[in-house]
């Protein structure tokens, strides 16, 4: 894990170089890099987009999020490199299948973004808040809860993304190939 404060990156061109260098330096020998950005980090997002990433946007199933999807898509369409357009995938977070509003939001999002809405959601579970209060991940705190199962599905989705060709499997366990 590497923490980079976007406020210390400086001007756009210098910042891109710094960000790219840090990511490259800290990702040697890995197949995937996950960058977690704050919602309001537009400049940093534009810098990351130059690397042609797969983007995943978690959204809560409410009307505000549903309305913001078109703005998010517009941002990515406007700021993507012309030769490699980047459109984000979406995953519903804190989803409760017993709530009609959540089911309606999911259906509207399916119509709006199609296959870019992941076929699973991160379900609402009290264990998530409890784990955070204990300073743990939900996977460690309550490995059998529904949210842990959902995070496992998300990890499987990420793992199945096309990763760059590796330089070999020397020293790598079979399950990590």
């Amino acid at each position: 894990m590497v923490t980079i404060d976007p406020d210390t990156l400086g001007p756009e061109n210098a910042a891109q170089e710094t960000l790219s260098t840090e990511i490259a330096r800290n990702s040697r020998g890995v197949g995937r890099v996950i960058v977690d950005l704050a919602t309001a980090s537009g400049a940093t997002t534009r810098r990351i987009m130059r690397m042609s990433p797969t983007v995943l946007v978690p959204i809560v199933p409410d009307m505000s999020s549903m309305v913001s999807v078109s703005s998010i898509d517009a941002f990515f369409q406007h700021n993507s490199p012309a030769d490699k357009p980047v459109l984000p995938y979406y995953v519903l977070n804190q989803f409760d299948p017993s709530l009609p509003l959540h089911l309606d939001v999911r259906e509207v999002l399916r119509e709006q973004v199609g296959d870019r809405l992941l076929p699973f959601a991160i379900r609402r579970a009290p264990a998530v808040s409890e784990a955070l209060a204990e300073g743990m991940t939900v996977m460690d705190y309550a490995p059998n809860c529904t949210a842990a199962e959902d995070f496992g599905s998300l990890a499987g989705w990420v793992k199945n993304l096309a990763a760059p060709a590796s330089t070999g499997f020397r020293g790598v366990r079979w399950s990590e190939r």
Side-chain angles (χ1 to χ4, degrees):
M1 181 181 315
V2 178
T3 302
I4 299 173
D5 181 0
D7 295 333
T8 64
L9 290 177
E12 183 86 17
N13 291 339
Q16 177 61 34
E17 186 64 32
T18 301
L19 189 60
S20 299
T21 301
E22 279 299 303
I23 290 173
R25 185 172 61 83
N26 289 286
S27 64
R28 287 193 179 103
V30 301
R32 291 165 191 84
V33 175
I34 297 176
V35 180
D36 185 0
L37 298 175
T39 304
S41 57
T44 304
T45 302
R46 284 189 287 277
R47 292 173 182 137
I48 294 292
M49 286 174 49
R50 293 182 192 137
M51 298 175 193
S52 300
T54 298
V55 176
L56 177 65
V57 178
I59 57 174
V60 293
D62 63 13
M63 297 308 285
S64 176
S65 294
M66 191 172 63
V67 169
S68 69
V69 166
S70 60
S71 297
I72 294 168
D73 277 354
F75 171 85
F76 282 97
Q77 288 170 346
H78 179 72
N79 291 288
S80 290
D83 60 332
K84 290 190 177 183
V86 175
L87 283 176
Y89 290 91
Y90 295 90
V91 63
L92 286 169
N93 191 17
Q94 301 177 26
F95 183 75
D96 185 343
S98 70
L99 297 176
L101 174 64
H102 288 203
L103 296 172
D104 290 345
V105 167
R106 182 177 63 187
E107 289 311 308
V108 169
L109 285 172
R110 279 186 184 152
E111 291 173 14
Q112 193 173 353
V113 301
D115 290 344
R116 291 186 297 121
L117 178 63
L118 298 190
F120 54 85
I122 309 298
R123 290 170 281 185
R124 183 183 294 172
V128 174
S129 299
E130 295 166 8
L132 289 172
E134 294 293 327
M136 301 174 72
T137 68
V138 72
M139 304 294 277
D140 293 324
Y141 180 79
N144 296 321
C145 82
T146 57
E149 178 184 318
D150 298 336
F151 280 114
S153 296
L154 180 58
W157 181 82
V158 170
K159 187 176 179 179
N160 287 324
L161 290 174
S166 66
T167 57
F169 294 117
R170 176 182 235 139
V172 177
R173 288 178 277 170
W174 178 258
S175 63
E176 294 173 335
R177 293 182 188 182

